[in-house]
Amino acid sequence: MVEVALFNINDIPLLFSGFLALVLAFLLFFAQQPGRIKKLYWQLLGLFFFLSALRVFDTLIYWNINLRDTLSLVSANFFFLFGFVFFLQGPLLLWFTRAAIFRDFELKRLDALHLAPAAIYPIYIYHIYHGLDPEQKMQYVHDWAHVISNPYFEALIWIQRVVLFAYSLYCVYHLYQYKHHLITRHCELNKVDLHWLKLLVIGFCCINGWTFLTLIDTRFLQLADASILGESESFLYLVFMSVLIVYLLKNSHGFSDIQIEHTIAPEPTPEEPQQQLVEKLTHFMEQNKPYLEPHITVERLAIKLNVSPKLLSCTINNKLHMNFFELIGTYRVAEAKKRLADSELRQKPISEIMKSCGFNSKSVFNQAFKKTVGVTPSHYRQQHLH
């Protein structure tokens, strides 16, 4: 008995790239990504890669003869199901790119308009394909020439490719805008980890640019064999996914977060009165506890409060009658007092409590604590836990 191979050699790049896309999607969905970017946006990037796997599957079931024949015997409705992917991947990548480089990016209601083409797709594809009788559907399934001879199908193919390529270019524009922002502020580019974001955005743009050029060539120029162009797109996709996976394997920090001081800030608000800023600062310190960061600076805190470092420093000096480091030390000592007196933390070494409160030096911690409280940290703990 001769066994028939389900996949041929040309399917291998698609299969591997689909598998790698699923791996990336899984990692981004379930890995804990510490840093400034919200978990939601990492999950959107995970969904982006999951849709990449769907796109691969959609290509396979149509162009792999064995899969196509098997599925068409069951139902012709398996085909052209995932065309909405072309309209979703662009917005997802755009939102993640903005979240990565803009300091206070938040999804707004108007952003839902980006999803309109994906929402319209099921209605459109129903009218031009799924609403047909089974015999007519089979013509589209088994004859690609019949698909592209239909002006409504052909228009859909062009819109899918143009929209995805346009979003890719827009993401590259944002990346260029960000790089220009860093240069104009005299930032050292080698201190900002942009490698993975460049790989992601520019790599995706190159793939969609190639897909768009392939469409132009097959429809108008016919300079190269259509099957070769299609296979080269599959290999490009495999290279793209492989490079991202290799980058993750080589870098233990993975897709690292861009530090907040290197992001693009929103338009500055008018300088607020110092008393108002004191109230804002106090609320922020109590709710967000930025003093727990070991390397907090007046510049980083000013960024979080969306004010100038100069105004923040002057306000602390004039209204609180201390300098920035004294302010941070006061909050850190207060936090250490709470933790030292907490019976649940009885077994935790004082050195660990010191570090968890933002102190790097034992001598600085002991000196600051004794100056504020009047006793050493160990004596204070004994007083409250015995």
Side-chain angles (χ1 to χ4, degrees), residues 4-37:
V4 178
L6 182 59
F7 300 105
N8 59 49
I9 191 70
N10 296 323
D11 296 327
I12 291 176
L14 278 174
L15 288 168
F16 270 103
S17 58
F19 171 73
L20 294 177
L22 284 176
V23 170
L24 285 169
F26 179 84
L27 289 173
L28 290 165
F29 266 117
F30 299 106
Q32 292 297 321
Q33 295 281 357
R36 181 185 54 83
I37 302 175

Side-chain angles (χ1 to χ4, degrees), residues 278 313-324 326-327 330:
V278 167
S313 183
C314 289
T315 300
I316 294 170
N317 291 333
N318 296 337
K319 293 293 180 180
L320 301 178
H321 308 293
M322 60 180 79
N323 62 38
F324 171 76
E326 287 172 335
L327 173 72
T330 300

Side-chain angles (χ1 to χ4, degrees), residues 189-197 247 251 253-254 256 258:
L189 295 180
N190 60 346
K191 290 187 177 179
V192 186
D193 186 3
L194 275 177
H195 298 299
W196 67 271
L197 194 58
Y247 182 87
N251 295 273
H253 55 273
S256 59
I258 295 170

Side-chain angles (χ1 to χ4, degrees), residues 40-203:
L40 168 67
Y41 300 121
W42 288 113
Q43 290 175 336
L44 289 181
L45 186 62
L47 182 57
F48 167 84
F49 285 114
F50 177 74
L51 292 176
S52 295
L54 275 188
R55 186 172 162 186
V56 167
F57 177 70
D58 195 46
T59 303
L60 270 176
I61 63 173
Y62 191 91
W63 292 103
N64 180 285
I65 297 172
N66 297 318
L67 277 177
R68 184 175 63 196
D69 291 346
T70 303
L71 290 175
S72 63
L73 290 173
V74 180
S75 173
N77 290 325
F78 283 114
F79 302 91
F80 307 109
L81 276 177
F82 302 114
F84 65 87
V85 167
F86 289 88
F87 301 117
L88 277 183
Q89 278 196 295
L92 291 174
L93 184 60
L94 176 64
W95 292 337
F96 179 79
T97 304
R98 286 177 172 174
I101 64 179
F102 290 99
R103 187 169 302 162
D104 295 329
F105 174 75
E106 291 285 348
L107 284 172
K108 297 180 175 61
R109 288 185 180 180
L110 279 177
D111 287 311
L113 292 175
H114 289 283
L115 305 178
I120 293 169
Y121 176 82
I123 302 168
Y124 187 86
I125 201 68
Y126 176 82
H127 283 289
I128 68 172
Y129 176 73
H130 288 286
L132 303 177
D133 61 60
E135 199 171 305
Q136 287 177 303
K137 289 179 187 176
M138 285 302 174
Q139 286 183 291
Y140 287 104
V141 170
H142 293 288
D143 186 2
W144 181 249
H146 191 68
V147 174
I148 60 177
S149 65
N150 181 328
Y152 296 104
F153 252 116
E154 181 69 353
L156 175 63
I157 292 168
W158 277 94
I159 292 169
Q160 285 173 323
R161 272 63 179 180
V162 169
V163 165
L164 197 51
F165 186 42
Y167 270 105
S168 304
L169 286 175
Y170 196 30
C171 291
V172 171
Y173 166 74
H174 273 314
L175 199 59
Y176 169 79
Q177 183 186 25
Y178 176 59
K179 191 173 179 182
H180 179 71
H181 162 83
L182 294 176
I183 292 170
T184 55
R185 280 154 183 77
H186 308 289
C187 294
E188 294 184 45
L189 295 180
N190 60 346
K191 290 187 177 179
V192 186
D193 186 3
L194 275 177
H195 298 299
W196 67 271
L197 194 58
K198 285 180 181 177
L199 289 173
L200 176 65
V201 172
I202 297 174

